[in-house]
Amino acid sequence: MEISVRSGDTFDYYSRLFKIPLRLIMDSNSNTILTKIKPADKIHIPGYASVPYAVREGDTFEKIAVRSGIEIDALFLLNQSKDANHLMVSEKIFVPEKVMVPFGTTETPLDYKRLVKFIKYLKRTYPFIEVSKIGSSVLGNSIDEIRIGKGEKKIHMNASFHANEWITTMVLMNLLNRYLLAITNGLLIRGKEPLALYEGVELSIVPMVNPDGVDLVLNGPPNHLRKDLIEINEGSEDFIHWKANIRGIDLNNQFPANWDICRKNKKPKSPAPRDFPGIEPLTEPEAVAIADLTEKNLFHLVLAFHTQGEEFYWGYEGLEPAESEVLAKELEKVSGYRAIRYVNSHAGYKDWFIQKYQKPGITLELGRGINPLPLSQFPSILKRAEEIFLTAITY
């Protein structure tokens, strides 16, 4: 919610008026010179929406404020051009409303365009988050990172490496949304103050690594690539099980962690709906974007959200640190997912991260069934994923 500064207003006053931590207000206005705010400056108040309201017979600012559960000066602040002593029936004013429920639907898959809309809503409502482009897909879609928190402990999570695992984007975005609600509403997280987590953890999220592939699965092929994609798809026009990026390369087989072994072991030797690792590591812009992001940051932990199997993998060739086992046992306990240390797999993002940095990396396999998992599983998947998410940010 955006407001205009009045003479004498301060950030501290806005914090008390709207019951929002001062740190969040300051971080939401980091481009403003905090010591020199002046009348008419535009200021963002996180966790609020400005809701239109039609004045009713007998309404006064005081009555509206009481009915809305807000301070009367919040109404004055948001309606500075109005004559509060002469409200007219049907006149439109604006009421600040605390955001208390998650945004979006859990009944419609998130394709790239819907994801962009979701991210824009979160940035508008929670302007203390940072949204940045870390790269572009083959077709030029932006691969975005959402960053929240200012702490020294840096955690990265990503989703939809694989196109037919698009439900992971929904899961991760909903978990982020719930986390933001907890922070702005002061809801305890595993007994911890949310502001303390915000100040102690820097969370990096890339909700859709493979936007072209997700759109292919959900919306079908773009016209100019239709013929080529059908050929890669062995003549089929059904792309529901497609796993690769738009060029038929499996992004989670693209990382330089024994990539040669991966290429030798994988059956496809040319572009395919799944499993082809490419002609060499890190040829695909989506994989490069994630690798570059990881190399530029000293993440202490990474979690890659995949489906399916109700299990997770946490080791790679004995290079994982001792703390990985401690974390794995806790995640197994809270989620009910089976913790697996080693699998005969190479060239994945988690493999590369552990090999390169010797820090905890985890590949999550949410849900059970055949990909893409049906939306009917979403509530149960989200519930168990939330336990994993909360454990990761609080451990």
Side-chain angles (χ1 to χ4, degrees):
M1 180 179 73
E2 189 178 75
I3 60 173
S4 293
V5 175
R6 303 168 303 187
S7 179
D9 282 351
T10 64
F11 281 92
D12 184 66
Y13 176 68
Y14 294 150
S15 174
R16 288 182 279 111
L17 180 65
F18 292 104
K19 298 179 177 61
I20 292 290
L22 178 61
R23 176 64 183 268
L24 298 182
I25 293 178
M26 294 175 67
D27 288 348
S28 296
N29 297 279
S30 57
N31 293 329
T32 302
I33 302 175
L34 301 181
T35 58
K36 295 182 179 180
I37 62 170
K38 57 186 181 299
D41 278 350
K42 301 298 183 183
I43 298 298
H44 300 287
I45 303 297
Y48 274 84
S50 178
V51 179
Y53 173 81
V55 174
R56 302 189 302 222
E57 184 71 37
D59 271 347
T60 64
F61 269 23
E62 183 178 6
K63 288 181 179 179
I64 296 171
V66 170
R67 192 162 60 238
S68 303
I70 58 176
E71 297 290 335
I72 190 171
D73 195 40
L75 275 179
F76 284 121
L77 183 61
L78 207 59
N79 296 277
Q80 296 180 44
S81 64
K82 301 294 183 181
D83 184 348
N85 296 316
H86 297 91
L87 293 177
M88 300 177 63
V89 174
S90 298
E91 181 180 3
K92 185 173 76 171
I93 65 171
F94 290 92
V95 177
E97 184 176 286
K98 191 78 173 288
V99 178
M100 304 287 288
V101 296
F103 170 76
T105 177
T106 58
E107 299 175 356
T108 304
L110 283 176
D111 63 8
Y112 174 69
K113 286 184 178 179
R114 282 189 282 270
L115 173 65
V116 169
K117 181 180 178 180
F118 200 151
I119 292 174
K120 285 181 178 178
Y121 167 83
L122 291 183
K123 179 60 178 176
R124 184 172 65 250
T125 308
Y126 308 100
F128 51 84
I129 68 174
E130 298 176 14
V131 179
S132 58
K133 178 179 178 179
I134 64 167
S136 297
S137 68
V138 171
L139 296 182
N141 289 316
S142 178
I143 301 172
D144 291 331
E145 180 205 28
I146 305 166
R147 194 166 292 216
I148 173 176
K150 303 296 180 181
E152 293 185 1
K153 183 165 73 173
K154 300 180 186 297
I155 299 173
H156 171 72
M157 303 181 186
N158 60 57
S160 288
F161 252 98
H162 291 142
N164 61 351
E165 298 174 9
W166 48 259
I167 200 170
T168 58
T169 293
M170 296 179 64
V171 169
L172 193 48
M173 288 299 290
N174 274 270
L175 293 174
L176 172 60
N177 201 170
R178 291 183 178 198
Y179 183 42
L180 293 169
L181 282 168
I183 290 172
T184 52
N185 287 284
L187 306 176
L188 291 180
I189 299 174
R190 291 280 173 85
K192 296 187 177 183
E193 291 290 341
L195 190 61
L197 283 175
Y198 176 83
E199 293 178 336
V201 176
E202 183 178 82
L203 178 60
S204 160
I205 288 178
V206 176
M208 189 177 285
V209 177
N210 185 6
D212 301 347
V214 169
D215 276 0
L216 175 63
V217 171
L218 293 176
N219 304 324
N223 288 333
H224 70 289
L225 294 176
R226 184 178 183 83
K227 182 179 178 181
D228 292 341
L229 288 169
I230 290 174
E231 184 177 346
I232 294 173
N233 204 32
E234 300 176 344
S236 174
E237 297 185 27
D238 183 357
F239 294 90
I240 191 171
H241 299 300
W242 186 281
K243 189 177 180 182
N245 77 345
I246 203 74
R247 286 204 286 231
I249 296 175
D250 191 319
L251 297 176
N252 205 39
N253 290 329
Q254 267 274 287
F255 291 85
N258 289 315
W259 178 88
D260 291 337
I261 296 175
C262 175
R263 181 160 191 211
K264 179 181 178 181
N265 291 343
K266 292 296 182 181
K267 190 172 294 185
K269 303 304 177 184
S270 61
R274 57 176 295 153
D275 298 338
F276 177 57
I279 59 172
E280 59 184 43
L282 295 178
T283 59
E284 302 310 288
E286 301 93 344
V288 170
I290 291 294
D292 286 349
L293 174 71
T294 304
E295 289 176 340
K296 291 174 183 175
N297 293 272
L298 299 175
F299 295 130
H300 296 92
L301 166 67
V302 301
L303 294 92
F305 285 60
H306 291 256
T307 58
Q308 47 78 33
E310 296 185 349
E311 58 193 20
F312 61 89
Y313 315 124
W314 58 274
Y316 187 67
E317 297 201 322
L319 298 171
E320 65 281 354
E323 64 182 294
S324 293
E325 185 171 9
V326 176
L327 177 60
K329 288 180 179 178
E330 183 63 21
L331 292 177
E332 187 175 49
K333 182 175 71 173
V334 300
S335 69
Y337 282 10
R338 186 164 62 111
I340 299 175
R341 189 166 193 167
Y342 301 127
V343 291
N344 185 23
S345 178
H346 303 281
Y349 172 67
K350 176 269 296 179
D351 308 330
W352 170 75
F353 179 78
I354 293 175
Q355 182 190 70
K356 188 175 180 70
Y357 298 104
Q358 287 84 59
K359 293 180 180 179
I362 294 173
T363 298
L364 299 167
E365 299 289 355
L366 307 178
R368 186 183 294 275
I370 298 174
N371 290 328
L373 296 181
L375 279 176
S376 60
Q377 285 196 29
F378 182 79
S380 60
I381 290 174
L382 182 64
K383 183 177 181 180
R384 296 169 82 174
E386 186 170 31
E387 295 299 322
I388 293 170
F389 178 90
L390 296 177
T391 298
I393 65 174
T394 57
Y395 91 102

